[in-house]
Each structure stands twice: as C-alpha cells, then as structure tokens.
C-alpha cells in the first residue's frame, strides 16, 4: 500500500503534483514545523536511474512509461494532421527530471507584461529575487573564461541557489565556429543573458551540478534534503482524481482531494488550502472537471539538419558501445574499479572524472529579433497581417498580440531561437529553429469524465500562418549560418530543404503554458494574481499553466520562481 499510515491526517496544505513547482512549494511551506504539507504524486520517487542523472543520456528518459506520462496532442491541422508527443515527467521532480536541463530567463519586458495584463506584483523586479534564490551559479570555468574574458554575472546572479547550475563542461568542436559565425551575421554576443536582456548569441547555463556532472532538479534540490521532515508527507504512486468541495456563503471551499492508490479510492483531507501543481496538462484537467474553460500555448521548433565533415565529433559517436563506455568512465569512477554496470547506486563521483560528452548537452544559443531573420519587406507584410489579427482577437489576445507587435518593432526582443545541438545520426549537426512567441492559440480539454483518461491536448501548432512565416525566416537564417565562414568550413552539404518540411517537421520544446491563465476573470483568466481559482476560496494553481504568455527562453527557471513567489503569497495569507 503506497498511502502511509497517517492517511487520515488533515493537512494544512495539500499539493497535487510533486513536479518542478509542487516539490519546490512543498519544501518552502514545510520549513515551518507547525505547518503540515501533504504532497500527492502520481509517479514514484526515483533514485536509481542513470538516464535521469547523466546529462548526456537525457534523451533516453523520453517515452519511458515509468517516468513519462507520454501525452500526445490531437491531430494538428497546421502540421499535416500529425499527433505530436508531449513528454511530461511522472515522478518526484516532474519534468525537471526529464527535461534537457536548460536554465535561463526571459526578458524584462515579458515579466513586466504579466503585471500589465492585470496581475499586480508580477514583474521583472518582483520575480528576479526568486530566480536568484534558485540559481546556484558557479564561477566562470577556465575554458569559458577564454571565450568571454569580460564576462560578468555578479549583479543578477547568486551562487548559493539550490538548483546547481553550470556552464557546459564539454564543448563540441564547432561551438566557437557557430558563435563567431552568428556574430559575423550581425548578432551581438550577449555576455549576461540573465540581466533582463536575453537576445543575442550566448553560451547557456544548465541545471547540472558542476561538482558531480549530474542533473540538478527539484527532487535532488527540494525533496531529498527535506524528505525526513515529519510535517512533509509524500503520497507517491497516488493519482488525484478530483478536488473535493463544500459550498460556503456562495463560494466553493476545497476540503480535500480524492485519490486512487493501488486501486483503492480515498480522500485526503485539507485544512487551509488545496494547491494544484500537476502541470500544464494535469492541473487544467482537474480544473475542467469542475467546469473551468482553458487555453494553451507552447514554443515549437523546426530542425535544420546538415552533414558535416567527419573530422568533427558529435553525439552520434556514442552509438558505438565501446566509445559509450569510455565516455561513461570519463564521467564516473566505479568504487571498486570493476566493470561499469547500469546501476546508478554503484557509482562514486570524483572531480578527476567529471569530463567528456556525457557531462553536458546543449552549449550554444542565439535568440534573435525578427528583423535579424526577415527582410524589411517581409517584416512589413508580417506586421500588416499581425495588425489584422489584433483587430479580430478577443480582449486578452488583443493585449498579448499588442505586446508581441511592440517587441517585434523594437528589434531588441527575441522571437526566433536558432539553437545549436548535436544530433545522433552519422556526422550531422542540427540547428533547432524555435518560435519564442507563437501567435497560434491552443487548448487542453478533458476527453472523458473519467479522470484517468488523458486529456485532449491541442496546442494549435502553426494554425496561424504567421508562425509558419517566422519559422521559414528562421530557417533561411540557418542557411546563411551554414554558408558563412568559419562555420561553413565544416559543412559538406545541405540535408533538408526549407520549404518542404516546416509543417512536417515542426516539434514542440515542451514549454506548455497558459492552460490556467493568471488574468482578470473578464479577460478569460482562471486564477487571479494571488493564484486563487476564481469562484473558490482556497484553491490555487502553482505551475506553468498560470503563465498567460510565453517567455523567450526555456521556462524551467521561471517555473521555480513562480513556486517560490507562490509560497510567499500563501504564507502571507495564512498570517492574516
């Protein structure tokens, strides 16, 4: 039986979902020994999987039914009818345990837009301290100091955050060639993308502990150190099926959560609040069973694949079992020097061994405004169509599209992400060209009244033809990259043609937001700026679903910050 003996306990706070936000929130609330926190997780607390721990093996966790929900979208009209996989973590740590470990922040204007949309107290200045609390940034490593001799991070970064971050411990052969080529094409090198201005070419931070070269995520940072707290109870392998309400003076009061564990149906009781942190698909599913209407938004990308000279190494060499074992030995030292096997628990860590391909994933990023990838004529036509879309939109989307239009026109705000990544296929490299502010709208709705049935997920990829235009322009910029020295010196041939594969090849970055938006109720909001669900007295949502628009970066650090800010809001309310 998964449920502990104290199942009948009434918790001050019941949190549904032990993911990136939920685990962080539970750790913060349970710092007070007089507060009891119940943490409900459909998955398990995993401690023995190298696929999770070793950065270079991250791709293997996707699709593993033990730890991945394996969601799929509905047929996407804008993508030739394809159903596209949507990996989501089903374990303590959630998607922070299966993502590609990219850490970073959006722009100042995007966070300020949260407040402008009707959410007092949600802006760059208020969220920055929480992002600083999260990020345990190291000193600049010697190999990167040579690249950025004037690099400065002191003002907007801390070194004591619980999520250990590091610059890549391994640089691919073409790292500097890519950076220098993009810079040659007019893109500035951004020496500190965490200062509120994130556009430009940069070497990115990862949520990788530089001491052990292993993944640092919500489970290792927030649950593991606090698992022994008597006032923090984890209900693992426990599926929440609905929130239990009572009516009080015309408002709904959440009194508990109905769950299934090992086939048994029972109710966990909450006292002060119930908090949904089940992610951008799980939280809205529970909400919609209570009649809440939802929307959705996600980043998407198109891969630009090309062949390079075989003198340059990429991750495809790891397909050779002997080479893979060599790289594994570079990362880990086996305690008794016997042959390495696949059990994480048999490894010990040594600074002497923290090197090689498996210590890192992506290294180089380039966040670009549209005017860097479109001609003046193309940009003018794009803005003309965008104006028409604004005129046809509802109140919220008029505001959102207005922000995007302003950001495009300034020429200082990232819209496209040609993101350098090695591909496991002969000697090829891939530039992932991402759309950072999609104009297409999506939704996530229940497919059945049965809470165990996956929801219908429709991100609406490429429904708006302007999204296609932006990606095509980004891919044309990729053609310029591979045709410009010094990067061009490594290219043998173009492997894909732009016009033929945008709709066929587009994929998500899995940064789903907006399914339980924090907005005024009149604008279609689901939660208010205190993250309370409209019409309820004590039900909150704390995860990526509350973000009403995308930030121009991977969202992991932002979600951690949302959880920490939410903890302060909850604690402040409890003190009243």
């Amino acid at each position: 039986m998964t449920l502990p003996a104290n199942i009948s306990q009434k918790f001050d706070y019941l949190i549904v979902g032990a993911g990136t936000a939920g685990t962080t929130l539970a750790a913060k609330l349970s710092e007070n020994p007089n507060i009891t926190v119940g943490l409900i997780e459909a998955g398990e607390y995993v401690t023995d999987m190298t696929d999770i721990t070793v950065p270079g093996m991250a791709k293997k966790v996707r699709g593993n039914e033990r730890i991945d929900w394996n969601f799929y979208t509905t047929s996407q009209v804008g993508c030739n009818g394809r159903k596209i996989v949507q990996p989501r973590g089903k374990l303590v740590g959630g998607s922070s345990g299966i993502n590609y470990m990219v850490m970073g922040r959006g722009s100042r204007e995007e966070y300020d837009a949260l407040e402008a949309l009707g959410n007092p107290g949600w802006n760059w200045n208020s969220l920055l301290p929480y992002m600083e609390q999260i990020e345990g940034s190291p000193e600049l490593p010697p190999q990167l100091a040579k690249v950025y001799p004037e690099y400065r991070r002191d003002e907007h970064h801390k070194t004591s955050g619980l999520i250990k971050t590091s610059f890549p411990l391994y640089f691919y052969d073409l790292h500097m060639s890519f950076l220098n080529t993009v810079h040659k094409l007019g893109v500035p090198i951004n020496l500190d993308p965490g200062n509120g201005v994130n556009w430009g070419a940069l070497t990115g931070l990862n949520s990788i502990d530089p001491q052990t070269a292993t993944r640092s995520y919500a489970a290792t940072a927030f649950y593991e150190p606090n698992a022994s707290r008597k006032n923090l109870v984890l209900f693992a392998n426990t599926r929440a099926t609905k929130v239990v309400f009572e009516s009080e003076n015309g408002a709904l009061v959440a009194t508990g959560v109905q769950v299934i564990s090992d086939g048994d149906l029972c109710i966990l009781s909450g006292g002060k609040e119930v908090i949904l942190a089940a992610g951008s698909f799980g939280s809205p599913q529970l909400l919609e069973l209570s009649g809440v209407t939802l929307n959705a938004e996600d980043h998407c990308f198109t891969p630009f694949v090309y062949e390079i000279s075989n003198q340059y190494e990429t991750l495809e060499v790891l397909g050779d079992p002997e080479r893979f074992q060599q790289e594994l030995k570079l990362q880990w030292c086996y305690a008794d020097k016997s042959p390495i096997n696949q059990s994480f628990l048999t490894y010990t860590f040594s600074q002497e061994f923290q090197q090689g391909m498996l210590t890192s994933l992506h290294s180089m990023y380039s966040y670009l405004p549209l005017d860097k990838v479109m001609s003046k004529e193309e940009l003018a036509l794009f803005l003309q169509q965008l104006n028409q879309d604004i005129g046809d939109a509802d109140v919220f989307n008029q505001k959102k599209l207005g922000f995007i239009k302003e950001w495009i026109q300034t020429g200082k705000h990232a819209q496209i992400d040609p993101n350098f990544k090695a591909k496991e296929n002969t000697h090829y490299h891939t530039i992932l060209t991402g759309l950072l502010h999609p104009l297409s709208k999506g939704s996530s709705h229940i497919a059945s009244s049965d809470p165990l049935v996956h929801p219908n997920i429709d991100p609406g990829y490429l429904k708006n033809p302007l999204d296609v235009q932006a990606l095509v322009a980004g891919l044309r910029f990729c053609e310029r990259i591979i045709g410009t020295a010094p990067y061009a010196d490594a290219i043998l041939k173009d492997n894909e043609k732009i016009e033929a594969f945008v709709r066929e090849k587009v994929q998500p970055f899995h940064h789903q937001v907006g399914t339980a938006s924090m907005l005024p109720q009149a604008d279609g909001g689901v939660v208010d700026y205190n993250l309370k669900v409209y019409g309820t007295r004590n039900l909150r949502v704390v995860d990526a679903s509350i973000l009403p628009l995308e930030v121009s970066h991977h969202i992991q650090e932002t979600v951690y910050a949302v959880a920490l800010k939410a903890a302060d809001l909850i604690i402040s309310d409890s003190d009243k």
Side-chain angles (χ1 to χ4, degrees):
M1 183 73 176
T2 303
L3 293 173
N6 57 350
I7 181 177
S8 61
Q9 177 179 352
K10 187 174 184 177
F11 293 91
D12 292 315
Y13 298 99
L14 275 178
I15 301 174
V16 180
T20 308
T23 304
T24 305
L25 180 62
K28 186 68 175 177
L29 292 178
S30 62
E31 286 178 356
N32 183 343
N34 298 317
I35 288 176
T36 56
V37 179
L39 184 58
I40 304 167
E41 172 53 44
E44 58 184 297
Y45 177 38
V46 183
T47 61
D48 61 349
M49 289 185 67
T50 55
D51 293 353
I52 294 174
T53 307
V54 180
M57 296 170 69
K59 187 176 181 181
K60 295 181 67 177
V61 300
R62 303 293 180 97
N64 182 335
E65 292 184 358
R66 178 184 173 191
I67 57 174
D68 184 355
W69 282 100
N70 280 324
F71 291 123
Y72 274 82
T73 69
T74 57
S75 297
Q76 294 297 284
V77 175
C79 306
N80 294 342
R82 288 184 293 132
K83 295 183 178 181
I84 300 174
V85 67
Q86 299 279 326
R88 285 298 184 278
K90 187 174 67 171
L91 72 163
V92 174
S95 294
S96 71
I98 70 168
N99 65 17
Y100 286 137
M101 292 160 278
V102 180
M103 286 288 282
R105 304 166 183 170
S107 72
R108 174 187 294 270
E109 292 83 0
E110 288 159 346
Y111 298 113
D112 287 346
L114 296 177
E115 186 166 60
L117 286 169
N119 300 300
W122 289 82
N123 53 51
W124 167 260
N125 288 333
S126 69
L127 285 168
L128 180 59
Y130 296 111
M131 291 188 279
E132 290 176 340
Q133 285 182 44
I134 286 295
E135 190 180 277
S137 298
E139 296 298 323
L140 200 63
Q143 69 269 34
L144 196 57
K146 294 178 181 178
V147 179
Y148 295 152
E150 299 179 358
Y151 200 82
R152 296 291 183 271
R153 297 176 48 78
D154 298 341
E155 183 180 354
H156 300 93
H157 304 270
K158 307 298 181 184
T159 60
S160 58
L162 291 178
I163 298 297
K164 303 305 177 186
T165 56
S166 60
F167 294 98
L169 302 175
Y170 177 88
F171 286 92
Y172 293 98
D173 292 343
L174 295 178
H175 179 99
M176 287 306 301
S177 294
F178 181 84
L179 185 148
N180 291 332
T181 298
V182 174
H183 183 48
K184 192 173 181 178
L185 291 171
V187 179
I189 295 176
N190 191 334
L191 297 181
D192 185 2
N195 66 1
V197 180
N198 73 340
W199 81 282
L202 56 107
T203 298
L205 276 178
N206 301 307
S207 52
I208 297 173
D209 188 335
Q211 300 300 313
T212 61
T214 56
R215 180 192 294 268
S216 179
Y217 67 116
T220 60
F222 291 102
Y223 180 71
E224 183 180 311
N226 305 309
S228 61
R229 288 178 179 171
K230 293 182 179 180
N231 64 328
L232 174 59
V233 179
L234 172 67
F235 297 91
N237 295 311
T238 301
R239 180 73 180 270
T241 58
K242 71 174 182 179
V243 177
V244 180
F245 290 106
E246 290 181 357
S247 180
E248 184 177 300
N249 297 325
L252 292 175
V253 178
T255 60
V257 177
Q258 180 177 283
V259 300
I260 295 176
S261 181
D262 289 344
D264 294 323
L265 185 68
C266 60
I267 293 176
L268 297 175
S269 296
K272 293 183 177 180
E273 293 191 16
V274 172
I275 302 157
L276 301 184
S280 288
F281 301 140
S283 290
Q285 182 180 22
L286 287 167
L287 285 173
E288 193 165 48
L289 289 169
S290 301
V292 179
T293 304
L294 310 165
N295 291 307
E297 188 172 312
D298 193 5
H299 290 152
C300 59
F301 70 87
T302 302
F304 189 86
V305 186
Y306 49 92
E307 186 179 353
I308 65 170
S309 169
N310 60 12
Q311 74 185 61
Y312 300 99
E313 282 199 326
T314 59
L315 284 177
E316 96 286 337
V317 301
L318 298 180
D320 177 2
E322 183 176 347
R323 177 60 184 275
F324 177 79
Q325 291 298 323
Q326 290 174 358
E327 292 293 329
L328 200 57
K329 289 176 182 178
L330 284 174
Q331 170 144 359
W332 279 334
C333 172
Y334 189 56
D336 61 3
K337 306 300 182 183
S338 61
I340 291 179
N341 61 38
Q342 292 302 304
S343 173
F344 166 67
L345 297 178
T346 61
Y347 294 108
T348 60
F349 300 108
S350 167
Q351 287 283 10
E352 176 186 357
F353 289 87
Q354 306 312 318
Q355 54 186 298
M357 282 187 168
L358 294 178
T359 63
S360 303
L361 278 170
H362 314 323
S363 60
M364 179 60 62
Y365 303 84
S366 184
Y367 295 92
L368 309 180
L370 274 187
D371 64 359
K372 293 295 182 183
V373 298
M374 284 185 172
S375 68
K376 289 183 179 180
E377 293 77 13
E378 288 173 329
L379 186 58
L381 289 173
F382 187 95
L383 290 171
Q384 181 180 345
Q385 181 59 53
L386 182 56
N387 281 331
Q388 182 175 330
D389 288 353
I390 292 173
D392 295 338
D394 57 31
V395 175
F396 161 63
N397 281 288
Q398 283 183 349
K399 295 176 181 177
K400 185 185 80 169
L401 295 177
F403 283 124
I404 294 175
K405 176 186 174 183
E406 179 182 344
W407 296 337
I408 290 172
Q409 289 177 315
T410 64
K412 300 292 182 182
H413 197 96
Q415 299 289 130
I416 296 293
D417 175 18
N419 170 354
F420 174 67
K421 179 187 175 185
K423 198 78 172 178
E424 295 181 355
N425 248 329
T426 189
H427 279 223
Y428 286 85
H429 275 179
T430 300
I431 300 176
L432 302 183
T433 303
L435 186 63
L436 298 177
H437 287 293
L439 302 173
S440 301
K441 289 173 54 180
S443 63
S444 180
H445 296 290
I446 56 172
S448 166
S449 59
D450 182 352
L452 301 184
V453 174
H454 283 182
N456 281 334
I457 300 166
D458 179 14
Y461 296 130
L462 305 187
K463 277 186 178 178
N464 190 319
L466 292 182
D467 286 343
V468 180
Q469 290 183 33
L471 282 175
V472 168
L475 291 170
R476 285 177 177 158
F477 186 79
C478 292
E479 285 189 324
R480 293 172 62 193
I481 292 174
I482 69 170
T484 303
Y487 203 62
D489 298 337
I491 307 303
L492 295 183
K493 63 179 181 180
D494 186 354
N495 190 53
E496 303 280 0
K497 295 298 181 183
I498 294 176
E499 296 82 359
F501 71 76
V502 168
R503 293 192 185 276
E504 184 60 35
K505 299 295 184 181
V506 72
Q507 293 288 330
F509 275 118
H510 314 302
H511 300 162
Q512 195 81 49
V513 302
T515 49
S517 288
M518 177 179 63
L519 288 168
Q521 193 169 16
D523 291 350
V526 176
V527 301
D528 64 18
Y529 59 86
N530 287 312
L531 305 184
K532 286 188 177 180
V533 177
Y534 289 112
T536 75
R537 185 163 296 170
N538 64 338
L539 177 64
R540 299 194 207 229
V541 180
V542 179
D543 54 33
S545 68
I546 64 99
L547 296 171
L549 76 174
E550 290 282 8
V551 298
S552 55
H553 208 291
H554 297 247
I555 64 173
Q556 178 177 203
E557 187 167 341
T558 300
V559 174
Y560 280 121
V562 166
L564 289 180
K565 182 175 175 65
D568 281 351
L569 291 172
I570 292 167
I571 293 168
S572 176
D573 268 7
S574 70
D575 292 338
K576 293 178 181 178

